[in-house]
Amino acid sequence: MTAAKALATVHGKPLVYVHHMRAHALTPLLTEPEPPSFPFLTLLVSGGHTMLVLVHGLDAFQILANTLDDSVGNAFDKFARELELGWQSASGALVEALAAQHDPLQAVDKPYLPRILLGTPTFSYSGLRSAAMRQISIAGGARTMSSKEKAALAYDFQLAAFAPLEDKIVRALVPQRGRGWQLANSCASIHPHEIRSVVCSGGVASNAFLRRRLRDALDSHGRHDVTLHFPPVSLCMDNAAMIAWAAHLYWHERTHDLSPHVVAKWPLDV
């Protein structure tokens, strides 16, 4: 931001202050041949955030579900580190590649890891991370585990990590007839069937397995009419293009005011 303020001052140009999670949510308005129309749901999944948001418009974001502790991306990072997968690419990509080596038809005695806080408007990933660490410890540590054991654990870790994401999306878009949490309880003015688009953005949205799981979850609950929008993989991580695009959308908010500072916890819904 200091660099941006200096350039704006030297060249006499205005600034647009951009919330980077809004930029993630709005990226498909740039990249999709048929962009989502308001209102739409956005699932923001990254190293710093895990939230389900109802986007009414450019200036109206309503958080429907948020994480109590870790983000899903941070859980992937720590899991990859505990499995000692290395640093040859992003942690999430390493876990995804390892999980792809596992045959899902291979019988296992029981699921390795718990599916946490299903049926609630809340995410939590600290418990999943701890459970994964225990499994690695029980196995004698990452260095004593076989490649098949690591692949099986990585596969189940993905299932456990993505189960709450699938659950919240389905409960937001499929009327539950009074059973459990649903979008209608959070936003009475919009019926679930009015939502026809879901944007999944952030670093974790680059995971191909997650993309398939979300599509299968919606289809299995009769929401074939809902379109899933994912940014190109190259634009899932934090990037300048999404910020520039958001600045274009918020051009009406441009200013020469240099007083604002970086806000580490800038609320998304204000």
Side-chain angles (χ1 to χ4, degrees):
M1 181 178 282
T2 300
K5 288 180 177 179
L7 288 170
T9 299
V10 169
H11 297 285
K13 301 296 184 182
L15 285 168
V16 182
Y17 295 95
V18 174
H19 193 304
H20 109 273
M21 294 312 294
R22 287 192 177 190
H24 274 303
L26 299 171
T27 299
L29 299 182
L30 167 67
T31 60
E32 294 288 281
E34 297 184 10
S37 56
F38 301 116
F40 62 81
L41 282 177
T42 182
L43 188 64
L44 297 172
V45 282
S46 67
H49 299 81
T50 304
M51 59 177 67
L52 180 64
V53 180
L54 179 60
V55 185
H56 298 270
L58 291 179
D59 298 305
F61 289 70
Q62 180 185 2
I63 298 175
L64 303 181
N66 208 343
T67 183
L68 292 173
D69 39 59
D70 276 358
S71 68
V72 61
N74 192 38
F76 267 86
D77 291 342
K78 293 176 179 177
F79 178 66
R81 185 168 64 245
E82 291 295 325
L83 269 187
E84 300 182 7
L85 299 186
W87 303 96
Q88 56 270 36
S89 65
S91 299
L94 292 173
V95 175
E96 181 181 5
L98 178 61
Q101 299 174 24
H102 175 67
D103 180 1
L105 298 179
Q106 182 178 340
V108 294
D109 293 335
K110 60 182 179 179
Y112 284 103
L113 303 170
R115 280 54 170 163
I116 297 174
L117 288 182
L118 303 186
T120 71
T122 308
F123 297 104
S124 174
Y125 283 94
S126 62
L128 173 61
R129 176 173 54 83
S130 298
M133 301 311 103
R134 285 195 297 272
Q135 289 296 329
I136 295 171
S137 178
I138 291 170
R143 297 185 182 183
T144 66
M145 296 175 67
S146 68
S147 57
K148 286 186 177 180
E149 288 176 321
K150 287 186 175 182
L153 184 59
Y155 182 81
D156 197 66
F157 182 87
Q158 286 198 141
L159 288 177
F162 296 154
L165 306 180
E166 301 164 35
D167 175 70
K168 269 57 166 179
I169 288 290
V170 167
R171 288 180 177 274
L173 294 177
V174 180
Q176 301 294 310
R177 297 181 181 178
R179 295 184 294 107
W181 170 77
Q182 55 183 297
L183 183 143
N185 293 336
S186 301
C187 185
S189 63
I190 295 180
H191 190 275
H193 284 289
E194 293 181 52
I195 307 296
R196 298 297 181 88
S197 295
V198 174
V199 170
C200 183
S201 194
V204 181
S206 63
N207 188 295
F209 186 67
L210 171 61
R211 296 182 179 211
R212 294 194 299 271
R213 294 287 300 184
L214 291 179
R215 183 71 269 165
D216 291 345
L218 287 171
D219 290 347
S220 66
H221 287 83
R223 290 308 308 264
H224 308 278
D225 60 320
V226 173
T227 301
L228 280 169
H229 300 272
F230 300 91
V233 172
S234 62
L235 297 183
C236 284
M237 305 295 286
D238 292 351
N239 61 87
M242 73 177 192
I243 300 299
W245 170 247
H248 158 74
L249 295 175
Y250 292 106
W251 184 241
H252 59 284
E253 297 182 3
R254 64 193 182 276
T255 179
H256 289 276
D257 180 8
L258 302 180
S259 63
H261 299 288
V262 172
V263 181
K265 297 294 182 181
W266 189 0
L268 183 65
D269 51 354
V270 296

